Amino acid sequence: MNSAQLDAYLRRLGVEHPAWPTVDVLRELHLCHLRTVPFENLSIHLGEEIVLEEKRLLDKVVGARRGGFCYELNGAFGALLAALGYDVALLAARVYGDEERLGIPYDHLALRVRTVDGGDWLADVGFGAHCHLPLAFGERGEQEDPAGTFRIVEAQPDAAGVRGGHDTVETADLDVIRDGRPQYRLEVRPRVLGDFVAGAWWHSTSPVSHFTRSLVCSRVTENGGRITLSGRRFTVTGADGSREERELGTDEEVLGVYRERFGIELGSVPKVRGTGQDG
């Protein structure tokens, strides 16, 4: 990432260039990213290629002012943090689904970030509704966040009886839990962006991937709530959990919400691939 790209990324987030890669700056960047860069899967349904290369991610997130899903958002955010002087490792995770079944390998990309003031943090701006602030990586107790109560715990054996790692605490897989429910199982071995290509391909092509079956565009609001556009259904969720939903009637309404609430300019309303439906 060159200096012009770095400055443009920070301008998009509305953040001044930090003097030092501290935990306080990381927290600010993390929250501003969630408020500014939407979690969205529109590329899958617009026929746009998803390429996990730093330049292409920056072209999309910074140049085109779009969002993305985990590989894109955390891939771009990791590049930003590294350019600012943070020690960043890409970590692979498997997401818990129905009946707490684990998803595919490289199901999710998250970040382990070390700061200049000695902190070690789990950062994740690409999981949709999740923690608003980085989680202390080595903390095994409860961590309070505006989005709920989180814990990072050593994972128990999976359905095949495998715990992961090499049977030591330092290398064991970790479960990330929100409000008592496991969200994803995290490997601690560092990866490179290219390792996630197969996972991104599966999520953008498989008929059983929830990303190919529905449209989503979502971000955190300034008051700690969330706005989400799923097809034509626009939902405003308050910080207290209250919800207001409404169906958008015309294409102009849908495109206006993308533009005014998410900062995304589209020429036409996306249709779920293979169905021709807006949802």
Side-chain angles (χ1 to χ4, degrees):
M1 186 183 301
N2 60 42
S3 59
Q5 292 170 321
L6 174 59
D7 290 344
Y9 206 147
L10 293 173
R11 281 198 302 273
R12 172 153 200 215
L13 300 185
V15 176
E16 297 292 328
H17 197 298
W20 296 99
T22 65
V23 63
D24 286 342
V25 171
L26 175 62
R27 289 165 64 90
E28 179 185 18
L29 291 167
H30 197 278
L31 185 56
C32 288
H33 208 286
L34 291 170
R35 289 175 172 173
T36 307
V37 184
F39 178 87
E40 49 107 331
N41 67 340
L42 305 183
S43 288
I44 294 171
H45 305 289
L46 291 170
E48 299 171 350
E49 187 180 14
I50 295 172
V51 181
L52 299 189
E53 297 173 359
E54 182 176 309
K55 181 184 183 301
R56 294 289 292 271
L57 297 183
L58 295 176
D59 286 346
K60 182 177 181 180
V61 171
V62 180
R65 302 184 72 82
R66 284 279 302 281
F69 58 172
C70 69
Y71 311 105
E72 301 169 288
L73 297 180
N74 282 324
F77 190 50
L80 171 66
L81 295 177
L84 291 172
Y86 290 95
D87 180 1
V88 180
L90 309 186
L91 303 183
R94 299 173 67 191
V95 177
Y96 280 97
D98 295 339
E99 299 178 0
E100 297 189 358
R101 290 193 297 264
L102 287 167
I104 63 169
Y106 299 100
D107 204 7
H108 181 59
L109 187 164
L111 305 172
R112 182 173 185 171
V113 183
R114 292 188 171 96
T115 65
V116 71
D117 46 355
D120 191 7
W121 303 89
L122 176 63
D124 193 343
V125 297
F127 197 63
H130 196 54
C131 59
H132 292 188
L133 300 168
L135 301 174
F137 200 91
E139 173 59 51
R140 297 294 174 260
E142 292 185 347
Q143 301 188 53
E144 295 298 331
D145 182 89
T149 301
F150 288 80
R151 293 185 69 203
I152 301 174
V153 301
E154 185 177 333
Q156 298 300 308
D158 62 16
V162 177
R163 191 178 71 160
H166 300 281
D167 293 324
T168 67
V169 173
E170 291 78 12
T171 60
D173 293 347
L174 301 171
D175 278 342
V176 178
I177 298 171
R178 176 190 180 193
D179 294 335
R181 298 186 63 181
Q183 303 296 293
Y184 54 78
R185 177 162 293 191
L186 193 68
E187 298 178 6
V188 299
R189 173 184 172 184
R191 303 290 182 174
V192 297
L193 193 57
D195 291 337
F196 295 88
V197 168
W201 175 84
W202 187 89
H203 275 300
S204 59
T205 61
S206 172
V208 299
S209 166
H210 60 275
F211 288 115
T212 64
R213 291 181 293 167
S214 61
L215 284 160
V216 64
C217 186
S218 183
R219 69 169 178 85
V220 172
T221 57
E222 287 67 22
N223 65 2
R226 175 172 290 275
I227 55 173
T228 302
L229 181 57
S230 300
R232 291 180 177 266
R233 178 175 298 170
F234 183 58
T235 304
V236 178
T237 305
D240 60 357
S242 60
R243 291 167 62 92
E244 296 181 7
E245 296 183 359
R246 64 185 176 97
E247 291 290 326
L248 306 179
T250 66
D251 286 1
E252 288 72 21
E253 281 186 279
V254 175
L255 294 175
V257 169
Y258 278 124
R259 180 177 59 253
E260 295 160 15
R261 304 303 298 268
F262 299 99
I264 294 177
E265 289 281 356
L266 297 176
S268 61
V269 174
K271 308 286 185 181
V272 174
R273 188 180 61 183
T275 69
Q277 301 299 312
D278 312 331

